[in-house]
Amino acid sequence: MKTWYRIGALLAVSAMAVTAVFGQTNNNKKELSVEESYLQESIEQMVIREQARADSRDMKLVALEYIGEAIKGGRANPEIQKTLEYLALEGTVSQAREGGVGRIINNYPDVRAKAAQYLGELGTKEAKDVLVKMVLSDPEPMVLTEAIKSLGKIGTNENDEVSTTISWIVTRFDILNPDNILALSALEAYEKIAEKNGGIKDPAAVRTIIRIAEGNYIRPVQARARETLNTLRKYTAQQNNKSGGQSSGQK
């Protein structure tokens, strides 16, 4: 209830502030338009931050709706990213327990999955770092699937960090309980990473793809793994042809 009162008070203050801005004289129209825009953005950020940190799962989902609108509207900023990081890691890295020692009371996989999706849409290095943390720490397949998809969408793979992380989680599930959807999302991510980087040279990724192709997965997933291997071979062949052409030119 305290959170609802805080948000209600915040909205009331926000309304008063907006009214004050619009009540200025017409002599400052240009300045007011900038001020109004800044005020609106600041209010939006405050409301999103309060909603994200509410105890209610529903309030967190509402915050994510606002975040999605902000990203689509080109209003993403470091504050939005911080809020997404908070929601993405809440319940795993950041846990609240009943009475301080009891069950986890802020574990909302659907919230984390949606946060992972929006981190992919942000596409920043910081967003990629949060997604890697999610893959390494989250136990829920639905969350991991969205995080892997977003890592593929971003596409960066410096020092094979992303491809190795994806391989690690797929192998972990493969040993305990193979997950077809998780494996498929990994294959799609590998392909997108390869497309953006001219291939993948990470041996762990290749081993993981072979493992999926030959492992305990449904046939469509196995077939997709073989397709992914063929795609990676094409990138390797292209690189070899380029290297061969450069060597011939130097001679």
Side-chain angles (χ1 to χ4, degrees):
M1 290 297 292
K2 289 182 179 179
T3 302
W4 285 98
Y5 287 135
R6 287 169 61 192
I7 294 173
L10 181 60
L11 290 172
V13 172
S14 301
M16 292 171 62
V18 171
T19 301
V21 170
F22 279 97
Q24 299 294 326
T25 61
N26 293 329
N27 295 331
N28 297 319
K29 282 186 178 179
K30 289 185 179 179
E31 290 78 10
L32 282 176
S33 63
V34 174
E35 188 176 349
E36 289 162 11
S37 176
Y38 175 78
L39 182 59
Q40 181 181 5
E41 187 172 329
S42 299
I43 292 169
E44 182 179 52
Q45 290 175 19
M46 286 188 290
V47 171
I48 289 173
R49 184 171 60 248
E50 290 296 323
Q51 289 174 326
R53 284 160 176 75
D55 295 333
S56 165
R57 165 184 168 275
D58 291 339
M59 289 298 289
K60 296 177 189 296
L61 291 173
V62 171
L64 284 166
E65 288 182 12
Y66 279 118
I67 288 173
E69 291 173 4
I71 293 173
K72 288 179 182 177
R75 301 190 304 278
N77 53 51
E79 184 63 35
I80 292 287
Q81 186 161 284
K82 286 180 183 177
T83 301
L84 274 177
E85 179 175 1
Y86 174 83
L87 292 171
L89 301 176
E90 187 182 23
T92 53
V93 175
S94 173
Q95 296 179 340
R97 293 184 177 273
E98 196 172 51
V101 293
R103 66 181 181 87
I104 299 173
I105 57 176
N106 63 339
N107 182 24
Y108 305 115
D110 54 340
V111 171
R112 297 198 300 274
K114 197 67 177 177
Q117 179 187 332
Y118 286 141
L119 283 166
E121 292 183 16
L122 277 182
T124 62
K125 178 186 180 301
E126 291 77 12
K128 181 268 296 179
D129 291 341
V130 176
L131 288 164
V132 168
K133 285 182 185 178
M134 293 182 76
V135 174
L136 294 174
S137 62
D138 207 295
E140 296 290 342
M142 67 177 291
V143 179
L144 294 168
T145 296
E146 290 300 328
I148 290 171
K149 286 180 180 178
S150 288
L151 285 170
K153 186 173 185 177
I154 294 173
T156 57
N157 191 34
E158 189 174 350
N159 298 320
D160 295 332
E161 177 192 26
V162 171
S163 58
T164 300
T165 300
I166 294 173
S167 297
W168 177 81
I169 194 62
V170 172
T171 301
R172 178 183 160 199
F173 270 81
D174 183 81
I175 294 171
L176 300 173
N177 185 25
D179 188 290
N180 288 292
I181 297 176
L182 183 68
L184 186 60
S185 67
L187 295 172
E188 292 172 351
Y190 286 139
E191 290 176 359
K192 289 180 179 179
I193 291 169
E195 182 181 356
K196 292 185 179 181
N197 295 275
I200 294 178
K201 298 179 180 179
D202 180 12
V206 176
R207 287 195 298 269
T208 300
I209 297 169
I210 294 173
R211 189 168 192 149
I212 295 172
E214 298 177 348
N216 189 24
Y217 297 91
I218 60 176
R219 288 183 180 179
V221 174
Q222 291 177 328
R224 181 60 181 273
R226 289 190 286 271
E227 290 176 10
T228 303
L229 279 174
N230 289 332
T231 299
L232 295 187
R233 288 193 187 101
K234 290 177 183 178
Y235 283 114
T236 302
Q238 290 173 1
Q239 291 174 352
N240 291 338
N241 290 336
K242 286 181 181 179
S243 299
Q246 290 174 354
S247 299
S248 299
Q250 289 175 355
K251 290 179 181 179

